[in-house]
Amino acid sequence: MPVMPIAKPPVFHKEEERRVKANDPEHNEKFQYANNRIKTSKYNILTFLPVNLFEQFQRVANAYFLSLLILQLIPEISSLSWFTTIVPLMMVFTITAVKDATDDCFRHKSDNQVNNRQAEVLIDGRLQNEKWMNVRPGDVIKLENNTFVAADVLLLSSSEPHGLCYIETAELDGETNLKVRQALPDTSELGADIRRLAEFDGVVVCEPPNNKLDTFTGVLFWKDNRYSLNNEKMLLRGCVLRNTEWCFGMVIFAGPDTKLMQNSGRTKFKRTSIDRLMNTLVLWIFGFLVCVGIILAIGNSIWEHQVGTRFRIYLYWNEVVNSSVFSGFLTFWSYIIILNSVVPISLYVSVEVIRLGHSYFINWDRKMYYPKKDTPAEVRTTTLNEELGQIEYIFSDKTGTITQNIMTFNKCSINGKTYGDVYDDFGRKTEINEKTVPVDFSFNPLADRKFQFYDQSLIKSIKRGDAMVHEFFRLLSLCHTVMPEEKNAGELIYQVQSPDEGALVTAARNFGFIFKSRTPETITVEEMGKLVTYQLLAILDFNNIRKRMSVIVQSPDGQIKLYCKGADTILFERLHPSNEELMSLTSDHLEEFAGEGLRTLALAYKNLTEEHFKEWSKILQEANTSLDSRNEYLAAAYEEIEKDMMLLGATAIEDKLQEGVTETIASLSLANIKIWVLTGDKQETAMNIGYSCNMLTDTMNEIFIVAGHTVMEVREELRKAKEHLFGQNKDLSNGHVFCEKMQESKQGSVLEETVTGDYALVINGHSLAHALEANLENEFVDVACLCKTVICCRVTPLQKAQVVELVKKHRKAVTLAIGDGANDISMIKSAHIGIGISGEEGMQAVLASDYSFAQFRYLKRLLLVHGRWSYFRMCKFLCYFFYKNFAFTLVHFWFGFFCGFSAQIVLDTSYWTAINRFFILGSIAVYFAILFAMHSDGIFVIFPNHFPFVGNSRNSLGQISVWLVILLTTVVSVMPVITFRFLKEDLNPTQTDQVRKLQKARRKQKPLQNYMRRVYRTNSRRSAYAFSHQEGFGKLITSGKNM
């Protein structure tokens, strides 16, 4: 690499550039860069109490009960002991705090486990073991094969030639295929020389911490030279070193500054819609309570003014309240305290108990237990169970979540004949099952024992020496970029950049064409027991534009051949005209394979003369040395050689879905749940999986592909999709009018119903970056939400979270995110419900999730059974609970008319508390018993379209019939009492009524003497018998109810 001598590196502003010097802690400490400690927990010892209390007081009811407790401490207005409120309030706070603390302890344990991992750091000229959390920017660390990269490091040197190393980025983008990184030539010369590495004093000036996984911009200043740095020189935290014995790197970003942590969303406090609804109901009920209190207070003032003075001769008064208005004021607060049971604090205790019970039901569910890994379902957040019954959108990762990330060679077409199907004795195709006998590969000692193929005719063709079949597998063993690794004798392991290549090379290996080793100039293959070394003359690599890959090799007998594999649409255009008949036959086979959801590739070859190859080599050399338009010249050179090829056949690879994925997606779709796939894979891979699990089908009206590289291109593609969705409706196809109309979620739902047909949207990561901008997000979410399926490809972890937030913001819908890797954590944290799959990519997603299990198919049972039941039970419970408490509270309201509005209680509080607890706990136990006896989960699996109860609680309040029922119920409850009170005096008056009538008649004739109005009140308790008794006080006094 050319270098440019300079005097000194320039000084950059600290806020815009990061400046790190190798092996110089004192220099780097000036900038106060973060160390490598990470923190995903919410609390610590000092912040737990204030932060947790703040979160708990977000519940309006908790603040309400605190205010109530303060009122109960005022003896002039309270007839209830403050003890009745503070004890349950403290119980609620304590139980919730213990639960939150327990959840956070798991996060602390996870953080400690990661922070205490060991890393080899170069300190004072020698390698020392240090904890990860003590690693700092500027440190030089050593990484070994199959270990995690501790921080974002600049690769300095490695055990591989030319400073190469191989990494797996599954924790970052979900891909398990290997990626190549290469050190600068000058630093790669440092090798493993500890002395030279300790003397390395290079200064890196680079971009500040950010979340862009695919870019890095920086400059290394060393020995008066300047070296440009890019992403190909960096090893990011979360990657795993593969196929490389060791490497050394210089730490650039550590801990929270690493790109992995920059892409991890913050832990959020999640609340269910039931919680939010209860907050709203509490406010309305408090308003109802105030109205009732005002009515009773006015009644008290009127009663005191007109009647109360006549009862003083029967009572002993300690204090006198001269004003009936002030008496009503005190009575108002007294009734606020007495009637508080309309929203008792036991509601929240009961809700938490029910949620805990539902959590255990999920944990104990044997149908969600995965025996192969001994993994049960686990509820990690117990407060979200009923939210599972309201899910409208599911955001899913692909690799390791929907798929097993295992590619298998399933079928092939060779020279016009298909292989892979199994036929019975009568020539009828039969399904492959556990009883089907696989091909016996015992003749091949290096065969992969996990590989299975069931068509015996293919192995017979191999053994028979069919030339075309041999050439087919010879191509598979030569045309690839796989790296072999032989650990033990006979144990051959392939390190692949693409799972597809791994599947094809493994198939060739099992059928007798074993790829053994490679050098930059040769490829060694064992062909049917014979070792053959081919000269590698050229590699024409794959890219998204070419959609094909070729190699040019020379066999030991001197024959030069070009082998090519790629997309059939691309390859068929470059075949020799003599292949017309074979191409037609192979196209039929490819359509058959694609219809089964298999990933297909076409294979071709071409014989080259030595003269032709030499002439082409000169063209290739000129293209490689061109300074301008090098890529265009290379593409032209590749086109020149890749034509007039001979068709060999085609392959069909199955990206194995997890068991039950297709059925699960179908059931969830029937339940009107929309599934979006957010994956880091390329577009072709994601779409193939979409077809495999029937999210994409050939019967769809249209599949919109958004792949624009600029804002204008993306806007135009979205506009065209919108016009297609709504046909010629100009009002809706107009972008501005449409955006305005779609602002309201109700209007959006109406438009969703007006779209007929099935549509899908596929969008690339670079296009999604533009679509998520403020000026385009409305159009994107409008089009996406009108499609049955949405697939986002090449997305970063942060983009996954942004898509979830976008739907939450514009659709006000309950969302669920499910994933299995660290690249899914931000999405899991952003969604209302986060689910972690304990799969092949570690436990990071599980630790950040609210629920976890081992297989995607368990999502169906979690939502359609446990979610529905939890929501159904909670709604039934709340209806019963409010009915019970309103019934109890209104007894005191009616009793006020009989006791002179004196705020007396009908029932002793201890009695009511005991009865309340008995009925609450007893009803819960009985209710669950009845549910277990009468409800079957199979019903809801059979009829999933009856699943959603989305927004029933809020939507019901918008129905006229509901308010009519409330009105009629109120009238029916009130009218008998009013009728009794007003008609009884006329129809069947008591002696007291007759006396009162006589007094009123006399008062009209002669006004009574005005008495000084005095109202007496006791200090804390009031007499319970003093004010409204029609037949005398004897029975009341002797009954002892006033004591």
Side-chain angles (χ1 to χ4, degrees):
M1 178 181 293
V3 295
M4 180 175 59
I6 61 171
K8 282 187 177 182
V11 178
F12 292 87
H13 197 280
K14 183 175 70 172
E15 295 180 356
E16 298 179 359
E17 304 283 349
R18 168 158 291 208
R19 182 186 181 91
V20 183
K21 186 174 183 180
N23 295 311
D24 194 345
E26 294 181 359
H27 174 273
N28 298 323
E29 284 177 2
K30 298 177 183 177
F31 302 100
Q32 297 181 340
Y33 296 137
N35 60 19
N36 209 32
R37 180 191 294 271
I38 64 166
K39 177 187 175 184
T40 60
S41 56
K42 294 167 60 176
Y43 314 109
N44 58 39
I45 295 176
L46 296 178
T47 62
F48 174 75
L49 190 60
V51 173
N52 190 260
L53 286 176
F54 172 76
E55 290 178 349
Q56 292 201 53
F57 276 116
Q58 287 187 9
R59 286 179 173 174
V60 176
N62 287 343
Y64 163 70
F65 287 119
L66 181 63
S67 304
L68 187 68
L69 176 62
I70 296 172
L71 290 177
Q72 285 183 306
L73 296 176
I74 304 174
E76 285 75 15
I77 62 174
S78 176
S79 59
L80 299 176
S81 172
W82 58 268
F83 189 81
T84 59
T85 299
I86 193 172
V87 172
L89 186 64
M90 291 302 296
M91 285 181 60
V92 170
F93 282 173
T94 302
I95 292 172
T96 306
V98 169
K99 178 180 63 63
D100 291 343
T102 303
D103 291 343
D104 207 53
C105 279
F106 287 108
R107 300 187 186 97
H108 276 284
K109 288 180 181 178
S110 172
D111 292 346
N112 290 334
Q113 181 182 2
V114 173
N115 289 330
N116 289 315
R117 287 177 180 172
Q118 295 294 313
E120 291 186 88
V121 183
L122 192 59
I123 302 175
D124 297 331
R126 58 191 181 93
L127 287 174
Q128 298 182 18
N129 284 331
E130 277 286 347
K131 296 179 179 179
W132 272 26
M133 61 182 177
N134 295 329
V135 174
R136 298 179 180 276
D139 289 347
V140 174
I141 62 175
K142 180 183 180 182
L143 304 171
E144 296 183 345
N145 194 28
N146 297 324
T147 60
F148 280 97
V149 179
D152 290 356
V153 302
L154 170 67
L155 180 61
L156 297 178
S157 62
S158 75
S159 58
E160 300 301 302
H162 311 294
L164 293 173
C165 79
Y166 303 91
I167 57 172
E168 182 182 288
T169 60
E171 295 291 346
L172 295 174
D173 54 21
E175 295 186 6
T176 55
N177 53 295
L178 297 186
K179 294 180 174 60
V180 181
R181 296 291 183 264
Q182 185 174 15
L184 291 167
D186 286 15
T187 62
S188 65
E189 295 177 359
L190 298 174
D193 190 333
I194 301 300
R195 181 185 60 80
R196 295 180 64 189
L197 286 166
E199 293 174 354
F200 177 70
D201 60 352
V203 176
V204 173
V205 179
C206 65
E207 61 188 12
N210 60 73
N211 52 40
K212 298 177 181 178
L213 294 173
D214 55 350
T215 61
F216 177 81
T217 305
V219 179
L220 170 65
F221 300 96
W222 185 42
K223 293 183 177 179
D224 294 332
N225 293 321
R226 170 179 176 152
Y227 305 86
S228 176
L229 303 176
N230 57 30
N231 202 47
E232 300 302 314
K233 309 289 188 295
M234 295 293 295
L235 307 181
L236 303 183
R237 180 184 179 124
C239 298
V240 180
L241 194 66
R242 300 290 192 198
N243 205 26
T244 307
E245 186 177 347
W246 54 260
C247 71
F248 285 87
M250 169 187 170
V251 177
I252 306 297
F253 301 120
D257 293 339
T258 59
K259 292 182 182 287
L260 175 65
M261 297 305 297
Q262 289 282 311
N263 273 282
S264 297
R266 298 188 61 182
T267 302
K268 297 181 179 179
F269 176 61
K270 295 183 178 181
R271 294 159 59 209
T272 67
S273 56
I274 290 285
D275 284 332
R276 292 188 290 271
L277 176 64
M278 285 198 294
N279 279 350
T280 304
L281 289 177
V282 165
L283 292 175
W284 279 102
I285 291 172
F286 181 73
F288 167 77
L289 198 58
V290 170
C291 293
V292 171
I294 291 173
I295 293 172
L296 294 171
I298 294 173
N300 176 265
S301 296
I302 295 172
W303 193 91
E304 287 285 354
H305 178 74
Q306 295 182 355
V307 183
T309 55
R310 305 181 186 280
F311 285 85
R312 294 196 193 103
I313 58 175
Y314 303 105
L315 300 173
Y316 173 76
W317 301 85
N318 290 335
E319 298 178 5
V320 177
V321 177
N322 296 321
S323 171
S324 59
V325 175
F326 185 60
S327 173
F329 174 77
L330 296 178
T331 302
F332 168 80
W333 293 109
S334 298
Y335 271 111
I336 291 295
I337 295 172
I338 289 177
L339 301 180
N340 77 84
S341 56
V342 71
V343 187
I345 198 168
S346 59
L347 168 66
Y348 290 93
V349 178
S350 303
V351 166
E352 293 298 331
V353 170
I354 292 174
R355 285 171 172 168
L356 185 63
H358 288 159
S359 300
Y360 279 109
F361 292 162
I362 297 173
N363 291 341
W364 293 339
D365 192 343
R366 292 186 177 182
K367 293 185 179 179
M368 296 175 67
Y369 170 73
Y370 191 55
K372 291 184 179 179
K373 292 187 177 181
D374 189 27
T375 306
E378 181 184 4
V379 179
R380 301 178 59 84
T381 304
T382 59
T383 58
L384 303 173
N385 297 326
E386 67 271 12
E387 201 81 336
L388 294 169
Q390 303 180 78
I391 300 299
E392 296 181 63
Y393 288 86
I394 293 176
F395 301 89
S396 175
D397 179 40
K398 181 192 75 69
T399 307
T401 302
I402 294 177
T403 70
Q404 301 178 34
N405 200 31
I406 300 174
M407 305 287 185
T408 57
F409 183 82
N410 193 285
K411 295 180 180 182
C412 62
S413 170
I414 304 176
N415 198 29
K417 181 180 179 181
T418 61
Y419 298 92
D421 292 320
V422 178
Y423 299 87
D424 59 15
D425 297 336
F426 301 99
R428 294 174 300 190
K429 186 186 295 186
T430 60
E431 289 189 6
I432 297 174
N433 52 43
E434 295 179 355
K435 297 181 180 179
T436 307
V437 179
V439 171
D440 182 14
F441 293 108
S442 58
F443 72 93
N444 183 357
L446 289 178
D448 187 342
R449 303 305 172 193
K450 297 179 181 178
F451 179 84
Q452 288 188 323
F453 198 80
Y454 296 93
D455 189 350
Q456 305 289 339
S457 62
L458 183 56
I459 197 69
K460 290 178 182 177
S461 298
I462 290 280
K463 293 180 178 180
R464 193 169 55 242
D466 189 316
M468 294 299 288
V469 175
H470 278 217
E471 192 74 354
F472 179 89
F473 285 108
R474 183 177 292 114
L475 185 153
L476 295 182
S477 65
L478 292 171
C479 187
H480 56 76
T481 57
V482 173
M483 300 293 295
E485 183 180 1
E486 194 164 355
K487 289 189 174 181
N488 302 316
E491 185 182 357
L492 194 61
I493 296 176
Y494 292 143
Q495 301 289 351
V496 298
Q497 283 191 316
S498 165
D500 302 72
E501 282 198 337
L504 295 175
V505 176
T506 300
R509 167 183 174 177
N510 277 60
F511 284 103
F513 288 76
I514 306 165
F515 168 57
K516 297 280 289 186
S517 64
R518 78 182 321 136
T519 68
E521 294 83 21
T522 63
I523 298 177
T524 302
V525 179
E526 185 179 320
E527 299 181 357
M528 303 301 295
K530 180 182 177 182
L531 211 61
V532 181
T533 299
Y534 293 86
Q535 295 297 315
L536 180 60
L537 303 180
I539 295 180
L540 286 61
D541 211 350
F542 176 92
N543 63 40
N544 286 328
I545 298 175
R546 284 170 39 78
K547 295 185 178 179
R548 63 190 185 276
M549 174 198 174
S550 301
V551 295
I552 301 177
V553 296
Q554 185 174 27
S555 63
D557 59 6
Q559 186 177 11
I560 300 175
K561 281 191 176 182
L562 177 144
Y563 291 110
C564 181
K565 65 181 182 184
D568 56 287
T569 54
I570 302 295
L571 211 63
F572 285 177
E573 297 174 355
R574 292 160 176 79
L575 295 178
H576 193 274
S578 62
N579 289 265
E580 194 69 33
E581 183 178 349
L582 179 58
M583 183 175 67
S584 176
L585 192 58
T586 306
S587 294
D588 294 338
H589 296 161
L590 285 169
E591 288 184 10
E592 180 185 340
F593 297 156
E596 298 175 16
L598 303 177
R599 303 156 63 97
T600 58
L601 282 176
L603 309 182
Y605 73 96
K606 180 180 180 180
N607 291 317
L608 301 175
T609 62
E610 191 169 350
E611 292 76 15
H612 184 190
F613 175 72
K614 286 182 178 178
E615 291 177 6
W616 179 80
S617 295
K618 294 178 182 177
I619 298 174
L620 181 65
Q621 181 67 21
E622 291 176 1
N624 278 322
T625 55
S626 174
L627 297 179
D628 298 324
S629 305
R630 180 181 300 175
N631 291 335
E632 288 77 4
Y633 286 127
L634 283 174
Y638 293 165
E639 286 285 347
E640 175 66 26
I641 198 73
E642 291 175 329
K643 62 183 181 181
D644 294 333
M645 295 184 289
M646 304 300 293
L647 182 62
L648 264 176
T651 62
I653 299 172
E654 180 184 8
D655 186 358
K656 278 190 172 294
L657 297 173
Q658 288 190 13
E659 183 182 347
V661 165
T662 304
E663 295 81 0
T664 299
I665 290 175
S667 295
L668 295 175
S669 297
L670 283 175
N672 293 325
I673 300 176
K674 293 188 176 182
I675 302 176
W676 293 22
V677 176
L678 311 178
T679 177
D681 280 351
K682 61 186 182 222
Q683 178 180 312
E684 293 83 358
T685 306
M687 290 185 68
N688 281 327
I689 293 299
Y691 281 108
S692 298
C693 59
N694 292 333
M695 293 178 65
L696 300 177
T697 62
D698 294 328
T699 59
M700 282 185 159
N701 297 67
E702 188 71 32
I703 298 176
F704 305 115
I705 297 178
V706 179
H709 288 79
T710 66
V711 174
M712 295 304 298
E713 290 177 356
V714 174
R715 187 192 301 276
E716 182 64 20
E717 290 173 346
L718 290 174
R719 186 189 63 80
K720 289 180 179 178
K722 192 184 303 180
E723 289 180 353
H724 192 96
L725 283 166
F726 294 102
Q728 300 302 316
N729 190 332
K730 299 301 182 182
D731 290 334
L732 291 177
S733 63
N734 182 281
H736 298 290
V737 176
F738 186 83
C739 288
E740 292 175 3
K741 292 187 177 184
M742 289 290 284
Q743 291 300 318
E744 299 293 333
S745 59
K746 289 184 179 180
Q747 179 71 10
S749 63
V750 170
L751 289 174
E752 288 179 29
E753 294 176 2
T754 61
V755 175
T756 57
D758 292 337
Y759 298 89
L761 175 68
V762 180
I763 184 168
N764 279 312
H766 52 78
S767 303
L768 184 63
H770 297 304
L772 293 174
E773 294 178 1
N775 58 342
L776 268 184
E777 63 178 22
N778 283 329
E779 293 189 41
F780 168 65
V781 77
D782 293 342
V783 174
C785 290
L786 293 172
C787 294
K788 181 180 179 181
T789 298
V790 177
I791 298 177
C792 302
C793 318
R794 289 297 186 193
V795 294
T796 66
L798 188 63
Q799 283 178 330
K800 291 184 178 184
Q802 288 173 338
V803 171
V804 175
E805 292 289 352
L806 192 66
V807 174
K808 288 170 62 178
K809 173 184 175 183
H810 290 275
R811 281 296 177 267
K812 309 298 182 186
V814 181
T815 58
L816 180 148
I818 179 170
D820 71 322
N823 59 314
D824 303 314
I825 289 178
S826 56
M827 173 177 72
I828 287 172
K829 289 181 177 180
S830 296
H832 293 96
I833 304 288
I835 296 180
I837 299 286
S838 51
E840 303 294 332
E841 297 184 22
M843 297 292 288
Q844 286 83 357
V846 171
L847 294 173
S849 66
D850 304 306
Y851 299 85
S852 68
F853 41 72
Q855 294 281 289
F856 181 85
R857 67 178 185 269
Y858 298 148
L859 182 62
K860 173 182 174 181
R861 184 168 178 83
L862 182 70
L863 299 186
L864 300 187
V865 177
H866 292 288
R868 184 186 189 280
W869 280 357
S870 296
Y871 187 67
F872 189 66
R873 290 166 179 163
M874 188 63 71
C875 291
K876 285 287 188 181
F877 167 76
L878 291 176
C879 289
Y880 164 76
F881 201 94
F882 282 114
Y883 162 76
K884 172 185 67 68
N885 288 287
F886 266 92
F888 171 75
T889 303
L890 291 178
V891 167
H892 291 84
F893 177 75
W894 301 127
F895 184 64
F897 290 89
F898 295 89
C899 68
F901 308 99
S902 57
Q904 303 305 300
I905 56 175
V906 179
L907 302 172
D908 183 68
T909 53
S910 58
Y911 165 79
W912 169 248
T913 301
I915 293 297
N916 190 35
R917 297 297 179 272
F918 172 78
F919 274 99
I920 289 298
L921 299 178
S923 63
I924 291 174
V926 173
Y927 184 66
F928 280 166
I930 293 174
L931 282 176
F932 271 116
M934 298 183 64
H935 286 254
S936 168
D937 63 324
I939 294 176
F940 310 120
V941 174
I942 296 172
F943 304 107
N945 55 330
H946 294 290
F947 154 67
F949 284 83
V950 178
N952 276 9
S953 49
R954 289 189 180 276
N955 293 338
S956 62
L957 298 179
Q959 302 293 325
I960 298 177
S961 59
V962 173
W963 290 105
L964 181 60
V965 170
I966 293 174
L967 177 62
L968 290 177
T969 303
T970 305
V971 171
V972 170
S973 300
V974 171
M975 286 304 296
V977 176
I978 295 178
T979 303
F980 175 80
R981 291 285 292 164
F982 284 93
L983 297 182
K984 184 175 180 297
E985 291 186 6
D986 295 329
L987 300 178
N988 187 24
T990 62
Q991 186 176 2
T992 305
D993 294 332
Q994 295 173 0
V995 171
R996 284 181 176 174
K997 282 185 179 181
L998 183 60
Q999 289 177 341
K1000 289 180 180 179
R1002 290 178 179 175
R1003 192 180 303 120
K1004 290 180 180 178
Q1005 297 175 1
K1006 182 181 179 180
L1008 295 173
Q1009 181 181 357
N1010 291 328
Y1011 296 96
M1012 183 178 68
R1013 306 190 56 79
R1014 296 187 299 174
V1015 181
Y1016 297 85
R1017 293 191 181 271
T1018 58
N1019 194 23
S1020 59
R1021 291 195 61 189
R1022 300 179 211 167
S1023 185
Y1025 65 89
F1027 297 114
S1028 61
H1029 305 283
Q1030 300 172 5
E1031 297 184 54
F1033 306 123
K1035 290 183 180 180
L1036 184 62
I1037 294 172
T1038 55
S1039 69
K1041 292 182 180 179
N1042 62 318
M1043 302 302 175

